Amino acid sequence: MDSRATTLAQSVLARCDELGQCSSEPGRITRLYLDEPMRAVHVRLSEWMHQAGLSPHVDNAGNCIGRLRGHREEKVLLIGSHLDSVPGAGRYDGVLGVLIAVAVSELLADHQLPFHLDVIGFSEEEGVRFKMPYLGSAAVAGRFDPAWLLREDEQRITMRDAMSSFGLSPDDLDSCRYHTDQVIGYIEPHLEQGPVLERSGQPLGVVTGIVGQSRLQLAFRGEAGHAGTAPMAGRRDALVAASAFIQEVRNTALNIDGLKATVGSMRVHPNTPNVIPGSVELTLDIRHLADDVRNHGVETLVAAGHRSAEAEGCTFEVLEETSQHSVNADAQLMSMLTDAVNECCAGPVLLESGAGHDAVIMGQHFPMAMLFLRHPGGVSHHPDERVELDDVAVAIEVLGRYVLRLAEQFTHQQSV
């Protein structure tokens, strides 16, 4: 293994530790879209980009982007991942991929690439603050819906106001867009967030595709009442209806091969010990590689929601539904990435991604590939996230070789 790659990997892990200190909650990592910890991340990341030979800036969606300038102006290769986190996150989800990309840029700083290399730290992938994922990549892909600017967080701050307070221009989001004719491709290095690579004994995997995902906001409406005086018979308890529905979610997912269905959050109103719950709002996350199976799962569970509500004298409502299609990796980029892995270590494992990534949005507009790193323990979105130094080093070496291979091919095509 290249000793320089090992040195760079040590720097990557130290920087992951440092960014882990940028959090809105003491004692754990929570970093949301355009909060103050994100501003601190931008300061540090911009410094590291500059040291690696990149020219950094923050676009109007809050993405932190560094450019390694090539000797031609018209084309650009994008490598990156996201900078935000879920509440109580680990140190590596998202930021590891961004910092690996910075390390690759430093590794290649002395090479004259025939295209620009842009490292992107996406501002928002998780969808926590405004209940809308992929805001940063949507802006880069030209898919940002201006209606999203009216969404409010839990403090009733609109997205527009959050952007303005952060020093961004929400009316100029089109300036964030990369056009399809200028982008060679998008590569995202990321923890696997699962056990496949660890079980196979391989450090790296090449992603073949990313599952489709549906996110729903649901509500059960019943009738609040006194917990001590209202008879048990005839109650319209929204939480009882929601509980029955949650069990149906589990049973349905167990009975449809490959389907993942999760109720991840729930708000009970009025949420008082001595009051019958009058309403419950909850989220439903449904995923599958086949979009028709996922859509069938959504239809099945919405019908189950209505049945659960009716059984308790309640009503059921779908407040919001968003979805992303499954996305396949670009065959050529995936093949070249596989070749680069073969040059550096044992042949890569080919696997699908059950988690969503910014590559979902990017892959709908640009050629896309993903490189997974082995995740010891496979525990993601959790402080126990882990990664091995040697795996990070080989990922840096692989991506460095990949970019140089792509540069050779690009130069050859331009000369023909």
Side-chain angles (χ1 to χ4, degrees), residues 273-353:
N274 61 345
V275 178
I276 300 165
S279 67
V280 175
E281 295 182 3
L282 51 81
T283 62
L284 177 62
D285 182 304
I286 302 178
R287 308 184 191 211
H288 199 279
L289 189 61
D291 289 332
D292 57 343
V293 177
R294 173 175 52 82
N295 290 332
H296 172 68
V298 171
E299 293 172 1
T300 299
L301 288 174
V302 168
H306 284 290
R307 289 196 302 272
S308 298
E310 184 177 358
E312 298 298 328
C314 300
T315 61
F316 174 75
E317 183 180 1
V318 178
L319 303 177
E320 183 177 53
E321 178 180 350
T322 60
S323 63
Q324 295 291 342
H325 299 299
S326 59
V327 180
N328 292 322
D330 178 80
Q332 183 178 10
L333 294 186
M334 186 173 67
S335 175
M336 293 177 64
L337 194 56
T338 301
D339 289 342
V341 174
N342 281 325
E343 291 178 5
C344 298
C345 58
V349 176
L350 301 180
L351 70 169
E352 67 181 49
S353 173

Side-chain angles (χ1 to χ4, degrees), residues 5 7 14 62 86 110 115 167 184 186 201 207 209 221 235 237 240 245 251 301 303 308 327 370 372-374 404:
T7 301
V86 297
D110 294 333
F115 45 74
I184 298 170
Y186 169 70
V207 174
R221 312 289 188 196
R235 287 188 177 189
D237 190 325
V240 171
F245 171 72
N251 292 338
L301 288 174
S308 298
V327 180
M370 287 195 74
F372 272 175
L373 282 75
R374 176 167 44 194
L404 292 178

